[in-house]
Amino acid sequence: MAPDSVMRHRPFALFWSARVMSSVAFQMMSVAIGWQVYSITHSAYALGLVGLAQFLPMFVLTLVVGHVADRYDRRVIAYVCQSIEGVAALVLCLGAWHGWHDVAPIYAIAAITGAARAFESPSMAALLPNLVARNQLQHASAWSTSANQTAQILGPAMGGVLYGLGTLTVYGAVSVAFLVAACAVAAIRIDEAVRMRAPLSFEALFSGIGFIRSKPVILGALSLDLFAVLLGGATALLPVYAHDILHTGPWGLGILRAAPAAGALAGSIWLAHFPLRQRAGTALFGGVVAFGIATIVFGLSHNIYVSLVALAALGASDVISVVVRMSLVQLQTPDEMRGRVGAINSLFIGTSNQLGEFESGMTAGLFGAVPAVLIGGVGTIIVALFWMRLFPALRATKSLEG
């Protein structure tokens, strides 16, 4: 199977389409909620609390969602979660209709969305290896990553433009996009649904953690991305940069939010056609260091064009670690464990985005937006250099071929 034929495989094409639509919807919602909350409060702390509201349910539910993803049909889980997210966006739409001026219900909807995505993310990740051949997994991972990056280009830009037309418009579009994603997942057909073979038990609940601890390469890759994303959460402060430093509006915020994804999309498409065949571990660490440098450049910039270039470079460097991590996790994890390992992966990576937003918001509230971004960039580089010594097996990883 040639790399481009992965996209012609119908189950994977439906999977890719569902990821695009779900991610587009989530990005649109993030832009709208961020701008709405900042417009109401003019507070970096309030922005940080949005991330916290999304993080807490993901953190609390991590072990449960992995168990669910290994026991039940992963397609059904994703369908239900995307439907819930669509309804949550519809509630925000109705709130806009009634003129909400209180951020509390917005935080509540953010928490509900975070809970739904806690179940959706590991289920979709665990579903991927069942759709393609093992030797095509790196290609499929790269294309799957490109789905997220495509969404992160289209979603923020569309969210910014549609927010300019009104909160009712943007939240209505978000609801429709989530429901389209749910329909795409429902249309996926594979030979059999994956079921967990081990009985439900306290030991099985924590078995994903034990498995990751026994695999230094996986533990190193996940923890490296955790700290890189946690410290490098510059995107959480984009409403502050757009409004107070770069002096632009919702449309400008949407373009800034899309810039990292534009760089990442270019990188993921490149990796889909020219996969890492050697020195994958070295490429992983180099990408994280480049991510930190790009974060520092963005933090120092007061020019929107320089900021856009820095954010694009940030996204391009980040996609290297994403593809390496996804491929390593999928290749080294047995199918019956993928839900539980995927849930911990989501906690390490997905929820670190929200926790990183909280950390950035709190740091910016204490020291200012620019120092907060610079601290994150420098911290990312330090972590990468330390992890190279802490996980030599990860640094020595050569191939990602199955």
Side-chain angles (χ1 to χ4, degrees):
M1 187 186 296
D4 60 347
S5 70
V6 173
M7 285 300 298
R8 293 198 295 268
H9 189 48
R10 187 174 186 272
F12 181 77
L14 288 168
F15 172 89
W16 191 89
S17 300
R19 291 209 68 171
V20 169
M21 295 305 298
S22 178
S23 297
V24 163
F26 184 71
Q27 293 298 322
M28 290 171 65
M29 180 183 283
S30 296
V31 168
I33 288 178
W35 193 267
Q36 186 178 13
V37 168
Y38 194 68
S39 296
I40 294 172
T41 65
H42 296 284
S43 168
Y45 288 112
L47 285 177
L49 290 175
V50 173
L52 183 63
Q54 292 178 323
F55 165 76
L56 286 178
M58 292 183 180
F59 176 76
V60 171
L61 294 170
T62 295
L63 298 178
V64 175
V65 302
H67 222 57
V68 170
D70 281 334
R71 179 170 290 274
Y72 301 103
D73 192 322
R74 292 156 181 169
R75 294 164 296 176
V76 173
I77 298 170
Y79 170 80
V80 171
C81 291
Q82 289 162 353
S83 299
I84 290 173
E85 290 160 358
V87 173
L90 184 60
V91 173
L92 286 172
C93 185
L94 294 175
W97 177 268
H98 290 288
W100 278 351
H101 294 289
D102 183 6
V103 295
I106 300 176
Y107 290 146
I109 295 299
I112 292 172
T113 302
R117 291 192 75 80
F119 284 91
E120 178 189 351
S121 295
S123 299
M124 291 291 282
L127 180 61
L128 176 59
N130 300 118
L131 305 180
V132 298
R134 183 178 176 86
N135 64 352
Q136 288 293 311
L137 191 55
Q138 186 185 167
H139 298 298
S141 295
W143 280 117
S144 179
T145 301
S146 78
N148 285 335
Q149 309 313 330
T150 298
Q152 289 179 42
I153 294 171
L154 297 177
M158 292 171 62
V161 170
L162 292 177
Y163 192 96
L165 300 177
T167 51
L168 183 66
T169 302
V170 67
Y171 288 133
V174 168
S175 181
V176 171
F178 272 129
L179 295 177
V180 170
C183 291
V185 169
I188 295 175
R189 295 291 180 266
I190 54 179
D191 290 340
E192 64 176 3
V194 177
R195 296 290 193 274
M196 187 173 68
R197 296 172 177 81
L200 181 63
S201 66
F202 186 81
E203 181 181 359
L205 194 65
F206 286 88
S207 58
I209 296 176
F211 178 82
I212 290 174
R213 289 183 61 186
S214 71
K215 299 286 186 178
V217 170
I218 295 180
L219 177 60
L222 295 184
S223 57
L224 177 62
D225 258 22
L226 167 67
F227 285 102
V229 175
L230 178 62
L231 293 171
T235 54
L237 299 175
L238 286 180
V240 179
Y241 267 81
H243 190 277
D244 298 337
I245 297 175
L246 300 174
H247 306 294
T248 184
W251 183 86
L253 173 61
I255 298 300
L256 289 168
R257 286 291 297 262
L265 176 61
S268 59
I269 292 176
W270 175 271
L271 289 174
H273 288 90
F274 305 99
L276 297 169
R277 301 193 184 279
Q278 56 183 353
R279 300 178 65 82
T282 302
L284 169 64
F285 284 106
V288 175
V289 170
F291 179 89
I293 294 172
T295 300
I296 293 171
V297 172
F298 169 77
L300 294 173
S301 172
H302 285 70
N303 181 287
I304 190 169
Y305 299 108
V306 174
S307 297
L308 289 172
V309 171
L311 289 171
L314 182 150
S317 57
D318 181 53
V319 78
I320 298 173
S321 65
V322 171
V323 171
V324 172
R325 171 178 49 81
M326 286 181 62
S327 299
L328 286 174
V329 170
Q330 301 290 13
L331 288 171
Q332 296 195 18
T333 305
D335 185 69
E336 64 272 15
M337 288 287 298
R338 284 189 177 125
R340 282 162 286 175
V341 172
I344 298 171
N345 179 28
S346 295
L347 176 66
F348 272 47
I349 311 305
T351 60
S352 63
N353 286 291
Q354 283 75 48
L355 190 59
E357 291 179 5
F358 175 68
E359 178 271 333
S360 295
M362 296 301 102
T363 305
L366 291 172
F367 306 111
V370 174
V373 173
L374 296 180
I375 290 171
V378 172
T380 299
I381 296 172
I382 292 173
V383 167
L385 296 176
F386 181 59
W387 253 236
M388 290 179 69
R389 296 180 61 86
L390 192 61
F391 294 96
L394 178 59
R395 186 181 70 246
T397 298
K398 301 295 183 184
S399 174
L400 296 176
E401 297 296 331

